[in-house]
Structure formats: C-alpha cells, structure tokens
C-alpha cells in the first residue's frame, strides 16, 4: 500500500508530487498529461512571448524533479475511488488498481463553454477563460466579459482598472444587482448588456468581435479580447459521495487542505479555496502534500499553533 496517491497533473498535482518526493514518501502520481491548463497560452497580436510569464515554464521546475522518477508515475485516467480499511483503492481506466493510505485530489476545473460559432476557432487566440491571468495585458484595450455571476464581476473589476472599455454581456441578472455588482458596474468605462446572448465570435487570425442578441436586436461589439467568465466546472466527480462538496461541486477544504473524509486531501482549482493561479496552485499542492505527510505520521489533527 502506498503512503499517498496524487491524482492530477496540473500545477497543484505536480507540486504535491514533487513535495512528496522530497519527503521520501512512497508516492504514486496518476495523470494522463502534465501541466493542466498551463500548457496553453493566450495569443494576442500586440504581445510578444518575452512579455508573458508562461505557466509551463514555472511548473517546468517541478516537472523536471519527477522526470527521473518514472516508476512512480501512472499515465492513465482514474475511473473509481473506493474506501478501504486503512486507506483507499484507486482504479484506473485499464482496470489496474492501486491502494494507498492517503489521497491528494488535484484534478482541476474547466471553464463553462458558450458553444457558439467561432469559440473553438479563436480559443486562446484572443478568447480565453481566465481574465485573472491575462488582465495585466489589457492596458488601453477594448474587452468583453461574458457572464453574470461573481466570477464575471471580479473579471470586470480587474479589467476596468486598466482597459479602455469593458463590456459585460450578461445572459441573466445573476449577481448584477448585489452590492458588489452595483459597485463594479458603476465605473465609467464599464458597459452592461443585460439579458443578452452571445451568438458568435468573429475575427481573422484573432478574435475581433462578439456578436450578441440584445433587446431583440443583433449587435456586434468590436474587441481586442474576450473572456468567458461563466461558472467553472470542477472535476470532482471521482469523490462524489466520499467528501463534502459545495453546491457547484467544488471540494470543501480547510486551511490545511483536508477534506471531510480523513485521509483525503485536495488542492488547486478543484477546491473551494479559489486557487485559480499557477503560483497559488503550486503552493496549494505543497500544502496538501505536507498535510498528507502529517497524517501518515499521526499528526493529522495536531494544531501546529499557539493554544490558548
């Protein structure tokens, strides 16, 4: 039986695996690929490569630490997780099974898609799903944000500080009428299209326009970039019924990345900790691995702080 199994090859999973190696844990790392969403970078016509900190370069340091430990990696997708006496059993797609005392779930999340013409064509060519990552590149640019919940409002808030014009295309009212929504949308360079629907993304080599239907009329908004900021979808189905999740499916974790099930830890985008940046995911993964190590040592409930 392994001491820990890490599931997921994004920043959080890579960092957890690298940290487990440093602790000399008997670890297994299960992932079909490496890098997660960092393998893709938003291409913009006014941005040169040297102007962007590429996530793949950041996590490459962690990846190289694992390259020589090929024996600890399983290149497969996980199909089932079951509790055992003293641990858990992980079944992968080809039917092989691996037992472990602890689990670290770092399976990430995906952005909810619009499923409209042009979305696939211009994805990461002026269109992407993370304004938080690329907002600093939008100085004096025209951008569209699609969404009506807090994720979209946060994107508008950040972009409105540096972009010339931010247009929010909101299919419903969502969180627009909350105090936070009213504050964000009150900025002079923010325009809102309420109860509007995206029909198409247009462009040449890059996304250049967003076609919407608003008040029964068809309208095309000229853009430099568009951010789809609808609800993220966590890849947490594997632990459904095993750990507590929130209403959106994100795994609930405490300050030490512990889930509601002793022995299961979670890190990165799949959790409710909002670790949606590469560096945040790396730190989250290391913290989860440290918590798993403490659990193996019997220190899982130790306070590690001042007791009053």
């Amino acid at each position: 039986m392994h001491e820990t199994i890490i599931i997921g090859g994004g920043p959080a999973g890579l960092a957890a695996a690298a940290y487990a190696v440093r602790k000399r844990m008997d670890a297994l790392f299960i992932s079909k690929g490496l890098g997660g969403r960092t393998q893709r970078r938003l291409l913009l016509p006014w941005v040169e490569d040297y102007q962007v900190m590429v996530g793949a370069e950041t996590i490459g340091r962690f990846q190289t630490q694992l390259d020589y430990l090929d024996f600890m990696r399983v290149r497969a997708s996980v199909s089932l997780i079951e509790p055992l006496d003293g641990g858990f059993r992980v079944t992968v797609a080809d039917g092989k099974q691996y037992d472990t005392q602890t689990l670290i779930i770092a399976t990430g999340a995906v952005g909810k898609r619009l499923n409209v013409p042009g979305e696939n064509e211009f994805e990461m060519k002026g269109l992407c799903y993370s304004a938080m990552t690329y907002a600093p590149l939008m100085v004096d640019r025209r951008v569209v944000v699609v969404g009506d919940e807090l994720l979209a409002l946060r994107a508008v808030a950040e972009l409105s500080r540096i972009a010339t014009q931010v247009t929010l295309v909101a299919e419903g009212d969502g969180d627009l009428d909350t105090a936070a929504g009213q504050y964000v949308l009150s900025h002079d360079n923010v325009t809102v299209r309420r109860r509007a629907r995206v029909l198409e993304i247009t462009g040449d080599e890059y996304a250049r326009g967003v076609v919407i239907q608003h008040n029964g009329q068809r309208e095309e908004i000229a853009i430099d970039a568009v951010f789809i900021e609808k609800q993220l979808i966590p890849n947490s189905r594997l632990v459904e019924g095993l750990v507590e999740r929130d209403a959106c499916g994100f795994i609930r974790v405490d300050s030490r990345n512990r889930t509601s099930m002793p022995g299961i830890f979670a890190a990165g985008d799949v959790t409710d900790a909002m670790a949606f940046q590469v560096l945040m995911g790396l730190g989250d993964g290391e913290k989860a691995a440290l918590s798993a190590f403490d659990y193996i040592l019997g220190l899982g409930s130790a306070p590690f702080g001042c007791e009053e």
Side-chain angles (χ1 to χ4, degrees), residues 45-56:
W46 67 89
V47 176
E48 300 292 339
D49 288 348
Y50 72 88
Q51 295 175 279
V52 183
M53 179 183 291
V54 181

Side-chain angles (χ1 to χ4, degrees), residues 268-280:
D269 293 358
V270 75
T271 75
D272 65 351
M274 296 179 65
F276 299 147
Q277 296 277 273
V278 171
L279 295 179
M280 294 166 67

Side-chain angles (χ1 to χ4, degrees), residues 76-90:
S77 57
V78 175
S79 56
L80 182 65
I81 296 173
E82 302 170 283
L84 295 175
D85 287 340
F88 307 91
R89 174 163 292 164
V90 177

Side-chain angles (χ1 to χ4, degrees), residues 49-98:
D49 288 348
Y50 72 88
Q51 295 175 279
V52 183
M53 179 183 291
V54 181
E57 294 174 357
T58 305
I59 66 168
R61 299 181 182 181
F62 289 83
Q63 184 175 330
T64 54
Q65 295 180 48
L66 302 175
D67 284 343
Y68 72 98
L69 297 172
D70 196 61
F71 65 89
M72 67 168 283
R73 184 176 173 207
V74 175
R75 292 170 174 80
S77 57
V78 175
S79 56
L80 182 65
I81 296 173
E82 302 170 283
L84 295 175
D85 287 340
F88 307 91
R89 174 163 292 164
V90 177
T91 303
V92 297
D94 64 2
K96 291 182 180 178
Q97 296 180 323
Y98 306 91

